[in-house]
Amino acid sequence: MIVKPRIRGFICTTAHPLGCAAGVQRQIDAVQAAGPIDAGLDNALVLGCSGGYGLASRIVAGAGCGANTLGVSLEKPPSEKRTASAGWYNNAAFDAAPLGPRAAAIDGDAFADATKAEVVDALKAGFGPIDLLVYSLASPVRLHPRTGVLHRSAIKPLGETLTMKSLNVNQGEVTQVALEPGSEEDTANTVAVMGGEDWEFWIDVLDQAGLLAPGFRTLAFTYLGSELTWPIYWDGTLGQAKADLDRAANAITERLAPIGGSARVASLKGVVTQASSAIPVVSLYMSLLFKVMKEQGVHEGPIEHIHRLFATQLAKGAGPRLDEAGRIRMDDVELSAEIQDEVKRRWSVVTTENLNEFGDLEGYQADFLKIFGFGFEGVDYDADVDPTLGRDIG
Ligand code: NAD
């Protein structure tokens, strides 16, 4: 099969097997070139391991910290005629890389009790207790394991209709969008999907199974962002879910006191991922942000950013840099006055006509295609490839 990108709105329905492998390898190479990090990790569990910040975390833990890594993600397998999800290829590439003692990925719904039980079995059978759990799930839905309710998150502002500039990434057009406010039900659903309850469920299950090592640490990721994105993000339904993560971090830390453990929320930089490309308005903000950060020589992609998180916040001897809510702040560069003043200036004047001058649409689009394995040097995109990677798919 010859695999080309097929883009529908903010998703690409195809993924390139060799391109995804090249993307994983590029990240492994970057981490190995940066040198080892001593974070005292033997075993790390990464939930949402197959893309974006979760994949970067798994790579830094495995290739940078020399940890065994167990990952969980929800994937679409390939068939003879259809490519798999990008994450399926990313997991295959990670597990094939010679990266230290033990690596495995479990394909399943991380919200489900059955998947949690599978992880417990895998840890008991081989890995042993974990030192680190990275909670990096980003999902539009959650089937609640206790109530059976299917919650759908709704990324909406709160209060009044929000009229704001946005970007049609495929057409390169700066537009004005009117976003209806979310209801109480939308907020409750978004909190159920993207809030902290499932993180707490994971800790319960692993703690009860005796699988948290002394001094165990766990991280979940948030986005605080700039004044420009607050109306759609931090002040909207998603912000309510992220505030619930802050609540859960405190509850988990209390629970972990007997083993000297801690839970922290880390506020990360904006990057292009499957999850972030679904958020209205954010694409325009990011294309301006990337241009400004690249001009000032401080831009980071997911792997550079997560490497900095581990090296400066988790490594032995590195004291975490916390805000008043106890969050680790990795968004310090994005939110610095040097960057934000310039992004805000550009935001007020950007139009379709001057987008190339003020924003980095090309970089944004290239990052988006790379998520699905397209645009890597050295990959022959006209060659026939086997979407099943020669596996018996059944
Ligand atoms: P992503 O879309 O790249 O990755 C999401 C991961 O979750 C994938 O591995 C996917 O397979 C997995 N997943 C989704 N539903 C699942 C399920 N039911 N069971 C198992 N796995 C499932 O997303 P991302 O942008 O890396 O987001 C990860 C976290 O980082 C989120 O909490 C997000 O809010 C946060 N964050 C992202 C940004 C950004 O700009 N992308 C910035 C700050 C914080």
Side-chain angles (χ1 to χ4, degrees):
M1 177 190 286
I2 293 168
V3 184
K4 300 283 175 192
R6 208 179 301 144
I7 296 172
R8 302 270 178 277
F10 50 77
I11 58 163
C12 178
T13 60
T14 51
H16 200 283
L18 304 183
C20 288
V24 169
Q25 191 57 49
R26 193 199 69 84
Q27 295 193 53
I28 292 173
D29 291 347
V31 168
Q32 287 178 335
I37 299 168
D38 183 3
L41 298 184
D42 290 326
N43 289 321
L45 171 62
V46 181
L47 306 174
C49 67
S50 68
Y53 278 135
L55 175 59
S57 299
R58 189 170 181 218
I59 290 173
V60 175
C65 305
N68 298 313
T69 61
L70 180 62
V72 179
S73 65
L74 187 60
E75 305 305 336
K76 191 160 58 71
S79 67
E80 299 294 335
K81 294 197 186 116
R82 207 189 54 198
T83 62
S85 54
W88 193 90
Y89 295 125
N90 290 339
N91 286 345
F94 185 96
D95 292 340
L99 275 187
R102 194 184 280 272
I106 289 174
D107 185 350
D109 177 7
F111 299 129
D113 289 340
T115 308
K116 292 180 172 74
E118 209 180 320
V119 166
V120 165
D121 288 347
L123 293 175
K124 282 188 172 163
F127 289 78
I130 55 171
D131 313 287
L132 177 70
L133 183 150
V134 176
Y135 190 89
S136 189
L137 298 176
S139 172
V141 291
R142 173 178 174 220
L143 180 64
H144 197 287
R146 309 280 185 271
T147 63
V149 173
L150 182 69
H151 297 280
R152 275 180 200 288
S153 68
I155 302 175
K156 293 184 178 176
L158 288 174
E160 291 170 6
T161 302
L162 173 69
T163 305
M164 247 184 123
K165 275 183 180 174
S166 188
L167 173 65
N168 180 325
V169 174
N170 301 329
Q171 270 142 31
E173 270 175 27
V174 178
T175 55
Q176 196 79 2
V177 287
L179 303 166
E180 292 302 317
S183 61
E184 272 179 30
E185 199 187 346
D186 287 331
T187 304
N189 278 323
T190 309
V191 172
V193 179
M194 290 296 286
E197 187 188 46
D198 181 61
W199 188 20
E200 295 180 278
F201 284 0
W202 272 100
I203 299 297
D204 281 348
V205 165
L206 294 165
D207 194 15
Q208 277 164 24
L211 288 167
L212 304 180
F216 164 80
R217 291 180 283 182
T218 180
L219 291 181
F221 299 144
T222 197
Y223 184 65
L224 295 179
S226 129
E227 274 165 56
L228 293 169
T229 58
W230 286 347
I232 183 62
Y233 201 109
W234 191 254
D235 292 340
T237 52
L238 209 41
Q240 294 292 304
K242 293 300 190 185
D244 190 60
L245 273 188
D246 291 331
R247 175 204 60 74
N250 291 329
I252 295 170
T253 296
E254 245 173 64
R255 177 189 182 126
L256 295 176
I259 59 163
S262 66
R264 296 244 177 248
V265 168
S267 184
L268 305 184
K269 165 187 188 291
V271 293
V272 185
T273 64
Q274 286 194 50
S276 70
S277 51
I279 308 172
V281 176
V282 162
S283 49
L284 180 59
Y285 167 77
M286 279 202 211
S287 74
L288 301 182
L289 175 75
F290 292 179
K291 182 101 166 194
V292 173
M293 290 187 88
K294 284 177 185 176
E295 282 171 4
Q296 298 193 17
V298 291
H299 184 68
E300 292 170 317
I303 196 69
E304 294 81 18
H305 195 60
I306 293 294
H307 186 273
R308 182 160 68 88
L309 168 70
F310 276 65
T312 68
Q313 308 296 304
L314 300 184
K316 279 187 183 157
R321 190 163 22 80
L322 306 177
D323 67 12
E324 69 296 339
R327 304 181 199 103
I328 296 175
R329 298 301 295 265
M330 296 306 298
D331 50 6
D332 51 337
V333 184
E334 169 177 345
L335 298 184
S336 66
E338 291 87 334
I339 301 293
Q340 285 300 316
D341 290 351
E342 184 55 22
V343 173
K344 283 180 201 158
R345 188 187 70 76
R346 293 181 188 203
W347 180 274
S348 61
V349 293
V350 69
T351 59
T352 303
E353 290 66 39
N354 62 25
L355 178 62
N356 273 337
E357 183 190 340
F358 293 135
D360 183 23
L361 177 64
E362 218 174 286
Y364 186 100
Q365 286 170 329
D367 283 357
F368 179 76
L369 284 172
K370 283 192 169 137
I371 297 171
F372 305 94
F374 298 104
F376 287 99
E377 254 175 55
V379 176
D380 180 355
Y381 289 99
D382 295 318
D384 210 10
V385 288
D386 174 3
T388 70
L389 301 177
R391 295 187 189 182
D392 183 6
I393 298 304

